[in-house]
Amino acid sequence: DLGDVTFSSSTLTVSSLNAFVFANDADNSISVTATTGTTAGKPLTISAGSSATGSNNVNGGDLVLASGGGDGTGTSSIQFKTKVSGTDAAAESMRIHTNGFVGIGTAAPTSQLSILSDAASASDSGATLLLATNDGATMASGHRLGVIEFAGAEDGSGTLTVGARIEAVTEEAFDATNNDTKLVFYTTTGNASQTAAFTLTNAGNATVAGDLDIDGNDLTFGNGASIVNTDANTLTITEATTVFSGDIRLNGNDIKASDGTTAITLSGAD
């Protein structure tokens, strides 16, 4: 019965069709005929149904992409293919694996999101993840370029609470020659109370909100001077001249020479 089938102005309409099912005796496809000569290929749009417009706040139809169901430990995936520059055919560029892992540039993702670059290894190559902000206006000083948040469930209902985050924040208004930006690392204490624990400015200056514990024994400065934790009771300063701008308080009365012998003995309150 073709009474519900109409064809007009290159549009085929089947008014009562709710499902289009292919035979299962071969691989199946829907495609647009290739063009000839120097004419670019034509796009193919698949769209879910739209609602009538007005003031009723009605939802549009969802577009659902589903790979085939299997049996037992069988798998299926959704693959996205694009034309590769320099070749004539389309090749896979992204895949949603059977376990929900997403792979960009890889058909075998090993995490929720795996990004693989096949560009030649170099100092300016490698996989890239870009977080950007652009509302059409210039970024002002103190505005956030992007943020990465780390969260987990705080109850059995799946309520997610952010436990830490990393922000990139502008330190000046952006223009063609000035783009100073700092990184701010936040941690959480108490009931979802986040505070800046570590800040790294564009100049390389670091601010730590709490104590700084160093697992190593050496602290080396840019001019070559260093402070070395020689042993549990000794800090060695390697700079030839050490200048103190304030008072020096000693718990003991002796100032030692490099060989451990007493060079100066202090006595009394003065």
Side-chain angles (χ1 to χ4, degrees):
D1 183 7
L2 299 179
D4 57 355
V5 178
T6 59
F7 181 78
S8 175
S9 301
S10 301
T11 300
L12 176 66
T13 303
V14 183
S15 59
S16 62
L17 182 66
N18 293 321
F20 189 86
V21 181
F22 291 98
N24 61 4
D25 57 348
D27 293 343
N28 301 289
S29 66
I30 298 175
S31 63
V32 178
T33 301
T35 58
T36 60
T38 58
T39 303
K42 300 303 180 181
L44 172 66
T45 301
I46 300 176
S47 175
S50 299
S51 67
T53 58
S55 58
N56 296 314
N57 299 321
V58 180
N59 295 333
D62 295 329
L63 179 62
V64 180
L65 300 177
S67 59
D71 179 66
T73 59
T75 66
S76 64
S77 65
I78 298 178
Q79 302 165 27
F80 300 84
K81 297 184 177 183
T82 56
K83 182 188 177 301
V84 180
S85 178
T87 65
D88 293 336
E92 181 177 328
S93 57
M94 187 175 79
R95 170 183 297 235
I96 303 176
H97 198 49
T98 188
N99 57 5
F101 287 5
V102 177
I104 300 176
T106 175
T110 56
S111 61
Q112 280 77 9
L113 176 61
S114 297
I115 303 175
L116 175 67
S117 171
D118 60 1
S121 177
S123 60
D124 58 352
S125 67
T128 301
L129 179 64
L130 174 65
L131 302 180
T133 298
N134 183 9
D135 62 357
T138 301
M139 293 296 297
S141 179
H143 285 196
R144 190 169 70 184
L145 298 177
V147 58
I148 300 175
E149 293 186 331
F150 306 88
E154 67 173 15
D155 55 36
S157 301
T159 303
L160 295 179
T161 298
V162 174
R165 74 179 191 266
I166 304 172
E167 295 185 353
V169 181
T170 62
E171 294 184 285
E172 63 181 348
F174 272 24
D175 58 34
T177 58
N178 298 285
N179 309 108
D180 290 354
T181 302
K182 63 184 178 183
L183 285 177
V184 186
F185 296 75
Y186 288 82
T187 56
T188 298
T189 57
N191 185 18
S193 177
Q194 297 181 16
T195 56
F198 178 76
T199 302
L200 183 63
T201 70
N202 76 88
N205 297 325
T207 301
V208 180
D211 296 334
L212 180 63
D213 295 329
I214 301 176
D215 287 337
N217 294 318
D218 296 356
L219 182 61
T220 302
F221 300 92
N223 62 1
S226 66
I227 299 176
V228 180
N229 184 18
T230 308
D231 56 49
N233 300 311
T234 307
L235 285 178
T236 302
I237 301 176
T238 61
E239 186 64 27
T241 302
T242 303
V243 178
F244 296 93
S245 59
D247 297 333
I248 300 175
R249 176 174 294 180
L250 303 177
N251 288 332
N253 294 321
D254 295 340
I255 298 178
K256 304 287 187 179
S258 59
D259 60 1
T261 60
T262 299
I264 301 175
T265 299
L266 305 177
S267 61
D270 298 326

